[in-house]
Amino acid sequence: MTYLFITTIIIFFICFLLFKAYKNTQDIKINKINVASESGIINDSTLSILHLSDLHLENISLSPMQLERKLENESVDLIALTGDFLDRKRSIPKLLPYLRVLNRLEPTHGTYAVFGNHDYVLKGDDLNELKTLLEDNNVHVLQNESATISVNGEAINIIGIDDYSTNRSNLSLAYKHIEQGKNIVLTHDPTIVLDMHEYSFDYLMAGHFHGGQICYPKAYHLAKMGKLARKNVIKGLHSHNSTPFYISEGLGQTGLNIRIGSRPEITFHDVAVGVKAS
């Protein structure tokens, strides 16, 4: 009887923890990050960026309708999507209603995306189908490419560096056509910052780590994912060589649809842009 009672209690406790961990996936954080200008900046203005990462449509607890409610009354200049949309062909149609929500925001300077390691599980025609869906819905997909926008007459380079963890990053190609101005980098795996000694950026946005997704109390299981993860640099605002970069905890999950010690995230970045005084 005692053994049965203890077993029942243990099973109940595990079920409770799993239920709570699942509920955590519905507890979306909305973070607002202000990236101040450096000294010597004139004609200072702000670029408002909505940053979403790691939707993982196979395991996401946020519906398109819920996303729309969370974004209502928001006005943004640019939308940044930093990869890991999905990893199954059958999930591609699920992306469309989310893209329609983002289109209704009508960002002043458009929407830009990079792929992550899970997106590259798709091959050939399946990956092209994902890319086509994005492009048909006004998303500029940057695979070691850049695009330049103008903010108050100043050039802002949006640089998309392809996925580092699958050895697709090509810095020289990504920076090949940039103009004189500010460099804002989108990439999936933030570990790339450690290799960017000769490639300057003013701000970088990434995802990949899910804030650990399951932390106990640290995300020790992420150690295999590179130098940043081994340093427990897995979420939030950081700097490398005095230059800021941000790691989103993402919106979806991989493996089990649970989170412990982390939360899904929607992020708004206000990035000061301008030109350096001569």
Side-chain angles (χ1 to χ4, degrees), residues 204-223:
L204 180 148
M205 287 168 281
H208 190 45
F209 297 134
H210 303 184
Q213 187 170 320
I214 300 174
C215 300
Y216 41 89
K218 292 185 179 181
Y220 297 109
H221 59 292
L222 292 185

Side-chain angles (χ1 to χ4, degrees), residues 75-93:
S75 176
V76 296
D77 298 316
L78 187 144
I79 298 175
L81 308 174
T82 54
D84 274 8
F85 298 97
L86 46 87
D87 57 18
R88 298 290 184 272
K89 174 181 171 60
R90 65 175 180 270
S91 302
I92 294 175

Side-chain angles (χ1 to χ4, degrees), residues 97-223:
Y98 291 93
L99 296 177
R100 286 173 173 162
V101 169
L102 299 182
N103 269 323
R104 285 194 282 273
L105 285 179
E106 298 182 339
T108 306
H109 297 288
T111 301
Y112 298 83
V114 293
F115 288 140
N117 56 301
H118 279 262
D119 301 312
Y120 282 115
V121 171
L122 300 179
K123 305 296 182 186
D125 290 343
D126 295 341
L127 182 62
N128 288 334
E129 183 180 345
L130 172 60
K131 184 175 181 179
T132 298
L133 177 65
L134 289 163
E135 292 175 338
D136 285 349
N137 286 275
N138 305 312
V139 179
H140 304 277
V141 179
L142 302 175
Q143 294 175 280
N144 293 316
E145 300 169 87
S146 66
T148 303
I149 63 174
S150 178
V151 178
N152 292 338
E154 303 299 332
I156 310 296
N157 298 303
I158 311 300
I159 302 168
I161 301 174
D162 215 343
D163 182 52
Y164 182 79
S165 66
T166 54
N167 299 313
R168 288 178 167 86
S169 298
N170 187 324
L171 288 166
S172 62
L173 189 59
Y175 275 74
K176 186 174 182 179
H177 298 294
I178 66 169
E179 299 182 15
Q180 183 67 36
K182 283 269 189 178
N183 293 336
I184 295 179
V185 171
L186 311 183
T187 196
H188 181 64
D189 183 349
T191 312
I192 187 71
V193 300
L194 303 179
D195 290 348
M196 295 180 68
H197 314 292
E198 300 176 10
Y199 298 90
S200 67
F201 63 90
D202 297 281
Y203 195 49
L204 180 148
M205 287 168 281
H208 190 45
F209 297 134
H210 303 184
Q213 187 170 320
I214 300 174
C215 300
Y216 41 89
K218 292 185 179 181
Y220 297 109
H221 59 292
L222 292 185

